[in-house]
Amino acid sequence: MTAETILVPDLGGAETVEVIELCVAPGDRVELEQSLLVLESDKATMDVPSTRAGIIKQLLVKVGDKVSEGSPIAELDVEADSAATAEPAAEPAVKGETVAQAVSTEAAASNVQSAQSEQTVRVPDTGTEEPLEIIELSVAVGDEIAEGDGIVVVETDKATMEVPASFGGQVKELLVKVGDKITSGDAIAVLVTSGGAESPAPVNEPTTAAETVVAESSAPAPAPAPAPAPTGVVVEQDVLVPDTGGADAVEVIEIAAELGAQLAEGNGILVVETDKATMELPAPFDGELLEVLVKVGDKVSTGDRIARMKTTGAGEVEAVPAASSAAQTPAPQAPEPQAPTSVESKVEPVSAGDVYAGPASRALARELGVDLRKVNGSGPRGRILKEDLHNYVKQAVAKAESATAVAASGAGIPSIPDVDFSKFGEIELIPLQKIHKLTAANMQRSWLNVPHVTQFDDADITELEDFRNSLKKEAEKRGSRLTPMPFLLKACAHALAANPEFNRSITADGENFVQKKYIHIGLAVDTPRGLVVPVIRNVDQKGLWQLAEEANELAAKARDGKLTAAEMQGGCFTISSLGAIGGNGFTPIVNAPEVAILGVSKSQMKPLWNGSEFVPRLMLPLSVSYDHRVINGADCGRFFTFLVSVLSDVRRLAL
Ligand code: CAO
């Protein structure tokens, strides 16, 4: 492995550009040409691809940094083979610093054809008298290294460079350590070379020029501004494609301005894209956009006509004919530029022009078939990042799945619109736990499928509470708690037995009722993870103490997240009690395919007319929601009256 430093390539004239996106992280393996980061000038975004395959050792820049040509951006661990084959192209469009030249040797004259010999590796001419700091030792004593393998890595304020061996051998001794400063001619290591090795090159005549790795880019250069119209002249001028930096036939991917728009110099007219960069072709002067001569998908090259604009000068000179040769003449021949003063700079981009994304994101969008205009960008100034696309696709898939579920249930309702709440203030996204998602899906399914009706009534539980309080001590002795819940369970079991239509389900095809001959009742339990409904079996066959124990045990298991799936299945009816929390009443949602549910609110002492006077009675507000496909209002009236009568006279529980 050798360390290579990737530098910022030729920026086509731009001085400093901003790093707006990092596409890789330390530890990532990158392939040749894979994008490392995205740079942005005021005119273009540009991917910087890797010119080596290897592993990212270190990123030397972060988002927001300003870089210019030659700035180091990343260090790569490159396998020797990869480094050897990944020399820059014959005519790299980049310039970069030269990594330390090849290592030389003291044993220049010695012939090592057959015998083993020790040779000292020295620092070659570094091109500077400044000492260079060693930041890394690339080899250890005992390592067999080949010609070209790095021995140490040194660093200047501009670049990190590797000092490679100009001959192979075994490292016998390292003469330097991290932090040492070295200059040309310093001894850095002793190698044992074996027979057959080539004679090393003499000092100061390096044999290997290990060039710094630089990123190559075909990003078009920013557009040179053609000459504007002379003062006082109304001119219709053609807008030409500026020097694209060698990239021929670049594709028009967006029309960024509307016909008739008053453009200020620099406002984008088109967006073009190469495989490496996306660039706006700006208006070269202030004026009105008369015509766009290309469409999305067209290929354009330097000098092609892309639009016509009208500029308005301040003076009173007659208009120059449209598309005259003078209008197309480049700057040097044109009259002295003077910006018209009367033209307002205002761009009304068409929808496609709103898209702000780099080439990597655009390529990914094409691959995924995503319309970028629908994606919210989370990057600087709303730029669309790759992760925005991934999130968009995830949401789209989730929506499609829930739409399928809704369609499958026959509802076909429109979905609630997706709102960007961050527009209105600070927000935080809290991912739904599985249990929340399940509850949401179950509730929605029930709400959409079951025609709900809810009835309300109050049960006089004065005597029930007297009885319960009288049993509290005994409950303590048994190590139990006796709340109103076991009484409610028992009363519901009686009411279900007496009103069998409440102990039914309807088959999915709507053809049959399923009459259950058992009475299993679910108990809605509020837990930190969400709502769960454990089921107590054969409630009709159990006494109050046993029901109290089972309810407490299942509620505790639910809160600890220890319920098994089996413990939450098989319910015929559900009790949802908010009695310990408060409220006068609520409309619970039927836990389908059950057909009814009891809602319990907080008991309250109320004045009750007994025929001759008002007496204080403890009243328990109850509600029953039911599936009107299975149960009629009169059925519920009977069920409810029965339930209330049992709760109001606990002796009836014994019947
Ligand atoms: N009125 C007044 N007090 C009540 C009451 C009521 N209706 N129901 C219970 N209480 C009292 C209890 O008696 C107990 O007080 P004491 O210890 O003095 O007797 C206290 O409130 C706490 O009761 P609890 O909540 O611990 O026990 P519970 O058996 O009544 O309820 C359970 C158990 C699991 C149902 C409950 O803890 C729970 O999770 N409720 C929330 C269910 C829910 O979220 N439903 C909504 C679902 S959406 O449709």
Side-chain angles (χ1 to χ4, degrees):
M1 290 282 226
T2 58
E4 301 274 9
T5 305
I6 313 282
L7 306 184
V8 172
D10 180 0
L11 295 171
E15 290 273 303
T16 52
V17 292
E18 190 177 335
V19 177
I20 59 165
E21 189 180 338
L22 298 174
C23 309
V24 292
D28 284 0
R29 167 168 286 282
V30 293
E31 301 302 329
L32 195 67
E33 294 291 327
Q34 185 177 332
S35 292
L36 299 177
L37 46 79
V38 183
L39 302 176
E40 185 183 61
S41 71
D42 57 342
K43 297 280 186 297
T45 56
M46 182 179 87
D47 277 16
V48 176
S50 180
T51 49
R52 290 282 192 276
I55 293 168
I56 300 286
K57 199 172 163 201
Q58 198 183 350
L59 284 170
L60 305 170
V61 291
K62 56 185 185 321
V63 169
D65 281 0
K66 296 269 175 23
V67 295
S68 47
E69 179 183 334
S71 304
I73 52 178
E75 256 183 48
L76 219 62
D77 268 337
V78 178
E79 281 156 18
D81 285 346
S82 154
T85 54
E87 285 297 313
E91 285 183 28
V94 288
K95 303 155 188 85
E97 301 222 351
T98 306
V99 172
Q101 302 294 305
V103 175
S104 57
T105 171
E106 263 181 349
S110 75
N111 188 325
V112 288
Q113 290 291 329
S114 53
Q116 281 202 336
S117 67
E118 288 181 12
Q119 295 171 44
T120 304
V121 179
R122 289 185 177 276
V123 180
D125 182 3
T126 60
T128 171
E129 288 180 3
E130 287 292 307
L132 304 174
E133 186 177 342
I134 295 177
I135 58 162
E136 193 184 323
L137 300 176
S138 310
V139 295
V141 171
D143 284 0
E144 284 289 348
I145 61 170
E147 179 186 339
D149 285 354
I151 295 181
V152 296
V153 179
V154 292
E155 192 178 51
T156 70
D157 57 344
K158 296 248 181 353
T160 305
M161 305 169 293
E162 191 163 69
V163 180
S166 58
F167 54 91
Q170 188 182 41
V171 180
K172 179 160 189 280
E173 194 180 352
L174 281 166
L175 305 172
V176 287
K177 57 185 186 319
V178 170
D180 285 358
K181 302 255 168 101
I182 53 174
T183 56
S184 307
D186 284 353
I188 53 173
V190 178
L191 299 192
V192 177
T193 59
S194 52
E198 298 215 346
S199 181
V203 178
N204 294 337
E205 283 186 26
T207 52
T208 315
E211 290 172 80
T212 300
V213 181
V214 286
E216 184 180 342
S217 167
S218 56
T231 307
V233 179
V234 177
V235 179
E236 287 186 21
Q237 273 191 264
D238 284 354
V239 178
L240 309 183
V241 176
D243 180 5
T244 55
D248 233 13
V250 290
E251 187 175 340
V252 176
I253 58 164
E254 284 166 29
I255 309 292
E258 269 184 351
L259 291 186
Q262 292 293 346
L263 303 182
E265 178 185 337
N267 286 160
I269 298 177
L270 301 181
V271 181
V272 294
E273 186 180 60
T274 70
D275 58 339
K276 298 278 189 302
T278 307
M279 189 185 78
E280 236 176 34
L281 300 187
F285 42 80
D286 296 357
E288 183 187 336
L289 183 62
L290 295 176
E291 195 179 353
V292 176
L293 304 167
V294 291
K295 57 185 186 318
V296 170
D298 284 358
K299 301 270 166 73
V300 295
S301 302
T302 306
D304 285 355
R305 290 169 65 216
I306 51 170
R308 283 196 316 120
M309 285 180 63
K310 185 164 76 182
T311 67
T312 312
E316 293 152 359
V317 186
E318 278 177 37
V320 173
S324 70
S325 59
Q328 292 186 46
T329 308
Q333 286 82 20
E336 192 61 22
Q338 185 169 341
T341 52
S342 59
V343 179
E344 283 283 310
S345 164
K346 185 166 181 286
V347 183
E348 298 289 344
V350 294
S351 55
D354 293 338
V355 171
Y356 180 34
S361 303
R362 288 174 188 280
L364 182 62
R366 277 198 296 274
E367 194 182 312
L368 299 173
V370 171
D371 181 349
L372 279 170
R373 289 170 296 186
K374 295 182 179 164
V375 180
N376 286 331
S378 66
R381 296 183 294 284
R383 189 166 180 279
I384 298 171
L385 308 180
K386 280 184 177 174
E387 66 193 63
D388 298 327
L389 284 165
H390 287 301
N391 288 339
Y392 176 85
V393 170
K394 267 189 215 159
Q395 279 174 15
V397 170
K399 258 190 205 165
E401 277 173 0
S402 86
T404 308
V406 167
S409 70
I413 56 166
S415 59
I416 295 164
D418 204 8
V419 175
D420 178 9
F421 297 100
S422 65
K423 284 197 294 203
F424 311 113
E426 192 183 336
I427 59 161
E428 183 193 351
L429 277 187
I430 301 166
L432 260 72
Q433 302 289 318
K434 196 176 167 198
I435 198 165
H436 288 129
K437 290 185 184 171
L438 279 172
T439 304
N442 288 342
M443 293 295 174
Q444 188 176 26
R445 197 171 51 205
S446 177
W447 186 254
L448 292 170
N449 280 288
V450 175
H452 279 71
V453 179
T454 306
Q455 292 190 12
F456 299 87
D457 205 348
D458 288 351
D460 182 345
I461 57 163
T462 315
E463 282 156 20
L464 185 154
E465 278 297 276
D466 288 346
F467 180 51
R468 188 176 72 88
N469 286 328
S470 71
L471 291 170
K472 271 198 168 175
K473 279 210 173 118
E474 194 182 333
E476 265 174 46
K477 271 191 211 155
R478 301 174 73 105
S480 184
R481 274 175 73 234
L482 195 63
T483 67
M485 187 54 74
F487 296 89
L488 289 164
L489 284 163
K490 200 72 193 157
C492 286
H494 276 267
L496 287 169
N499 299 272
E501 61 277 16
F502 274 72
N503 200 15
R504 286 179 183 161
S505 284
I506 190 166
T507 53
D509 59 10
E511 294 291 327
N512 295 290
F513 288 133
V514 178
Q515 181 67 56
K516 293 155 205 171
K517 305 289 174 71
Y518 52 86
I519 297 179
H520 302 341
I521 298 181
L523 177 60
V525 181
D526 179 39
T527 80
R529 280 171 296 277
L531 189 66
V532 289
V533 186
V535 175
I536 301 178
R537 284 167 206 278
N538 303 313
V539 176
D540 53 324
Q541 298 166 26
K542 292 175 180 167
L544 288 173
W545 292 122
Q546 190 179 350
L547 290 173
E549 264 170 41
E550 285 192 28
N552 292 336
E553 195 185 318
L554 285 172
K557 272 177 113 176
R559 289 187 187 108
D560 294 345
K562 291 190 175 147
L563 286 175
T564 63
E567 286 170 322
M568 292 184 276
Q569 289 168 355
C572 309
F573 180 84
T574 295
I575 301 177
S576 175
S577 172
L578 294 176
I581 300 168
N584 289 329
F586 62 104
T587 57
I589 295 179
V590 171
N591 189 12
E594 297 167 16
V595 293
I597 181 169
L598 176 72
V600 184
S601 295
K602 193 175 178 65
S603 60
Q604 238 187 328
M605 198 60 86
K606 286 185 179 171
L608 203 72
W609 185 252
N610 66 4
S612 54
E613 58 181 346
F614 282 104
V615 287
R617 305 294 293 179
L618 190 62
M619 305 303 289
L620 180 67
L622 299 170
S623 49
V624 173
S625 295
Y626 57 89
D627 182 343
H628 209 339
R629 294 175 305 169
V630 182
I631 294 164
N632 292 325
D635 299 329
C636 186
R638 282 187 283 273
F639 173 88
F640 218 165
T641 306
F642 186 95
L643 181 68
V644 165
S645 69
V646 173
L647 288 169
S648 301
D649 183 357
V650 277
R651 292 170 304 181
R652 296 177 68 89
L653 288 177
L655 297 176

